[in-house]
Amino acid sequence: MQIPETKVVAPHEPVLELSDIQGLVVPGFLKPHFTLLGGRFPRDAAGSIQPPAVLAFKQRLSTLVDEFDHGARTLEDRRAHRRFVRGNARNATNAQVAPKTTLVGLAFAASGLRALTPGAADIPSPAFQAGLVERSAFLGDPTDPAHEGNPARWKVGAPGGELDMFLVVAGDEREAVDTKADELANVLTQLGIEASYGEAGDVRPDMPGHEHFGFDDGISQPGIRGRASAARDDFLTERWISPSQTPEAWLFGLPGQDLVWPGEFVLGYARTSPDPLTPGLLSPTVPTWTRNGSFLVFRRMRQDVGLFWRTMRDLATSLRHLPGFDALTDEYLAAHLVGRWMSGAPVNRVPDADNPDLGGDRLANNHFRFNSPTTAVPLVEADYVDSFPQAAADPAGIVCPWAAHIRKVNTRDAGSDMGGQEATYSRRVLRRGIAFGPPLADRYAEPSSDPANGERGLLFMSVQASIEDQFEFLVARWMNDPTRPKTPAGHDLVIGQNAAPGAKRVRDAVLFGSGLQQSLLSTSNEWVIPTGGGYFFVPSLSAIRHVLAV
Ligand code: HEM
């Protein structure tokens, strides 16, 4: 149905103060090379931060602040990159070289922020104030101090070595990122701050965009409902569905990409309400200078790729003896535990085999729901046709199990133990992670034939308005709880932990074979091991200038 142009009324969308919000928060650094830096103020014998170093840092911060990129610049950088990619796609013979940039962001742990301004103690987030080490057991991390994933053995942010500040440097070229990171680490050292952590993360050279198990990552991000300026069409998240054809256009950026109110990610803006087009309450700004700031979670997660694939192979072999599972391969099993094939193609759209063309097609690869079937939606680019198989309704998790990673963390149109479909909007996070370490050439390799000795994984970062209601909720309440968001589910077998106190660290997942045969998979093998991190606050640039600096 064609809706007359005059009847198309865009719903209200807030303008975000992008020149005050750090680009690390919105729109995020979408770059192939990262270096993460961590700093720690010097302490006295009693463990108290020494004031002279804090004062020296505060003084330096008043000029250092110009190093940190705001959202407007970061958005312009991203748009320039997109224009370049699209321009080259249209005119391959006159292809241009992409502009190269390096972007920087700054965040503080509660310890660092409280040293800079005592008012930081009023930030009403128990998780932020306590820090990641304190919350680690709640997230399901091993409580046995001998276990590699226990905070006592972390490589960054271990007890007594928690970071006070965290800097993210991201860019198009490794060399430029290194140079900028060295420069910033030198600034910290000169101020008497220990630059106690520095680590590079890079897109995989063999499979750009894929995480180390081999799956395309970073496909599904929530869109942000809001504009970058007062201009009518200056949307933060590009709109792809044609509003003159369907009112659904106002719910999505790309097909399947929910538009979420910005207060779920930035403090001081409207959050979700039961109606997706109506703003909810503002995310709280206590103290007031936290407006335009956000919380950043960093988790260094080592991935044991060999163990993951060897376990998938063993589980597939034993499942093949059961009726309904006779054709099962390890790739099929792993894809159904992720919810997407390695190419990124959603299993709900192609349940039986991967379709790399669908995986690589951003106009189609996120267009599916769980409770209801999908049909192709009319796009602004009228000549594009989504001709891939559409998704059938899958409310019980027959195709994409309720235990699958993507279904555990985003229930899409399905209700959950938290309520109706809208309950999922307030659980969304903006993922900002990048892989670290070299790929494992043979995915089944034993540790003895791994030149990197297992040192590879994900530098997971997420941005959200509430660590408790978003990141921690997803991990502790949905990924690690076998009965939620809905049963029959099981744990998030790919990523999650078994957080049951005192229990053996066995994890289960329910999977359906043909003829609705149901099977319970079980393993105690752990292939995602937390090896460090921290909880941080990313202040606005005005808060850095007027509250944190001298
Ligand atoms: C080593 C650890 C992890 C790996 C290998 C991993 C891998 C993946 C993959 C392959 C996808 C599907 C592709 C995509 O949509 O981007 C995905 C999606 C996602 N992951 Fe993870 N992940 C990891 C940890 C986490 C953690 C700790 C969280 C915590 C909240 C998380 C939250 C999400 C979310 C929200 C999505 C998007 C789901 C959707 O909207 O469809 N992941 N992850």
Side-chain angles (χ1 to χ4, degrees):
M1 179 184 67
Q2 183 77 25
I3 302 170
E5 202 60 41
T6 48
K7 300 260 185 223
V8 177
V9 181
H12 158 79
E13 301 213 13
V15 176
L16 274 77
E17 290 165 28
L18 282 188
S19 51
D20 194 32
I21 300 168
Q22 289 198 48
L24 174 62
V25 173
V26 175
F29 300 162
L30 203 65
K31 296 286 182 189
H33 304 286
F34 278 63
T35 291
L36 307 184
L37 287 176
R40 192 169 152 82
F41 286 118
R43 262 78 172 168
D44 61 20
S48 305
I49 292 177
Q50 293 183 357
V54 175
L55 189 60
F57 181 73
K58 280 176 87 73
Q59 280 164 349
R60 186 69 178 81
L61 204 50
S62 57
T63 49
L64 197 63
V65 62
D66 297 328
E67 294 276 349
F68 310 123
D69 290 283
H70 54 60
R73 174 168 189 257
T74 311
L75 184 65
E76 184 40 47
D77 179 71
R78 185 177 293 191
R79 286 176 172 171
H81 188 79
R82 273 197 206 125
R83 280 195 298 271
F84 154 80
V85 172
R86 284 176 195 157
N88 275 1
R90 281 193 205 104
N91 189 1
T93 44
N94 286 331
Q96 312 270 315
V97 177
K100 312 274 187 231
T101 38
T102 303
L103 302 165
V104 184
L106 171 69
F108 294 98
S111 54
L113 210 55
R114 287 191 301 251
L116 293 168
T117 180
D122 296 335
I123 294 178
S125 164
F128 172 68
Q129 298 291 354
L132 180 60
V133 165
E134 287 288 316
R135 308 286 282 194
S136 150
F138 172 64
L139 297 176
D141 296 353
T143 49
D144 174 1
H147 193 297
E148 181 194 355
N150 184 272
R153 294 191 51 194
W154 282 358
K155 290 187 183 299
V156 46
E162 291 100 332
L163 303 180
D164 295 319
M165 63 188 76
F166 186 63
L167 290 101
V168 179
V169 185
D172 297 293
E173 288 175 324
R174 169 54 43 212
E175 210 181 314
V177 171
D178 285 344
T179 307
K180 178 52 77 183
D182 286 349
E183 199 182 299
L184 291 166
N186 283 338
V187 171
L188 298 188
T189 313
Q190 279 159 16
L191 294 169
I193 296 162
E194 188 194 350
S196 57
Y197 174 62
E199 184 156 26
D202 300 279
V203 292
R204 287 181 58 163
D206 57 338
M207 297 172 89
H210 290 235
E211 51 71 47
H212 278 296
F213 295 142
F215 292 85
D216 198 2
D217 198 7
I219 299 171
S220 174
Q221 292 276 24
I224 298 178
R225 182 175 292 288
R227 286 174 290 145
S229 71
R232 190 170 169 263
D233 292 335
D234 193 7
F235 296 119
L236 271 169
T237 299
E238 287 188 341
R239 309 299 156 93
W240 286 87
I241 305 181
S242 169
S244 60
Q245 306 265 346
T246 166
E248 278 222 330
W250 303 119
L251 299 178
F252 300 101
L254 285 159
Q257 182 187 32
D258 298 316
L259 291 173
V260 176
W261 286 88
E264 300 295 348
F265 312 111
V266 189
L267 302 189
Y269 293 85
R271 298 191 78 165
T272 302
S273 81
D275 174 351
L277 294 180
T278 306
L281 299 174
L282 302 188
S283 45
T285 50
V286 180
T288 47
W289 54 262
T290 55
R291 182 180 159 73
N292 285 335
S294 186
F295 293 97
L296 176 92
V297 170
F298 164 46
R299 294 269 274 171
R300 184 184 191 276
M301 310 190 98
R302 190 173 81 73
Q303 290 174 255
D304 190 335
V305 176
L307 182 64
F308 173 76
W309 280 109
R310 288 193 305 275
T311 311
M312 289 299 125
R313 194 171 57 185
D314 294 348
L315 287 173
T317 305
S318 43
L319 273 176
R320 275 200 296 273
H321 298 301
L322 301 177
F325 294 95
D326 37 336
L328 196 89
T329 63
D330 58 353
E331 255 182 49
Y332 179 101
L333 176 59
H336 285 74
L337 292 177
V338 170
R340 291 183 184 272
W341 296 92
M342 291 171 85
S343 73
V347 298
N348 281 101
R349 292 199 58 174
V350 281
D352 299 326
D354 199 353
N355 180 337
D357 290 338
L358 170 58
D361 186 330
R362 60 195 284 268
L363 294 177
N365 67 9
N366 203 31
H367 180 46
F368 63 98
R369 300 172 187 184
F370 293 125
N371 260 15
S372 40
T374 42
T375 49
V377 285
L379 296 185
V380 179
E381 281 195 9
D383 53 349
Y384 175 86
V385 182
D386 176 355
S387 51
F388 299 103
Q390 290 294 331
D394 180 30
I398 309 291
V399 176
C400 181
W402 271 102
H405 179 53
I406 67 161
R407 197 159 185 170
K408 275 278 190 182
V409 289
N410 181 5
T411 56
R412 293 186 182 241
D413 64 329
S416 68
D417 58 325
M418 298 308 292
Q421 167 182 0
E422 72 288 350
T424 198
Y425 294 141
S426 54
R427 307 295 170 189
R428 305 296 303 274
V429 296
L430 296 165
R431 287 175 299 142
R432 303 280 184 244
I434 184 102
F436 73 90
L440 185 64
D442 166 13
R443 70 184 191 204
Y444 304 103
E446 296 284 345
S448 53
S449 50
D450 175 4
N453 210 15
E455 268 308 308
R456 63 178 62 76
L458 185 67
L459 302 172
F460 175 89
M461 288 180 273
S462 66
V463 162
Q464 54 274 299
S466 165
I467 296 176
E468 294 85 352
D469 295 344
Q470 290 161 278
F471 171 76
E472 285 194 342
F473 177 90
L474 291 179
V475 174
R477 297 291 177 228
W478 278 355
M479 289 160 86
N480 293 350
D481 188 329
T483 63
R484 301 169 74 181
K486 249 190 192 165
T487 48
H491 299 95
D492 179 335
L493 210 68
V494 184
I495 318 292
Q497 312 281 324
N498 178 350
K504 280 200 182 149
R505 297 175 64 76
V506 174
R507 289 165 296 133
D508 304 312
V510 174
L511 193 74
F512 288 90
S514 62
L516 298 188
Q517 287 294 330
Q518 186 176 329
S519 171
L520 186 71
L521 300 178
S522 257
T523 183
S524 55
N525 292 345
E526 292 176 57
W527 42 72
V528 173
I529 303 114
T531 53
Y535 284 167
F536 301 96
F537 181 73
V538 192
S540 68
L541 294 168
S542 60
I544 296 180
R545 277 195 188 94
H546 305 305
V547 180
L548 307 180
V550 179

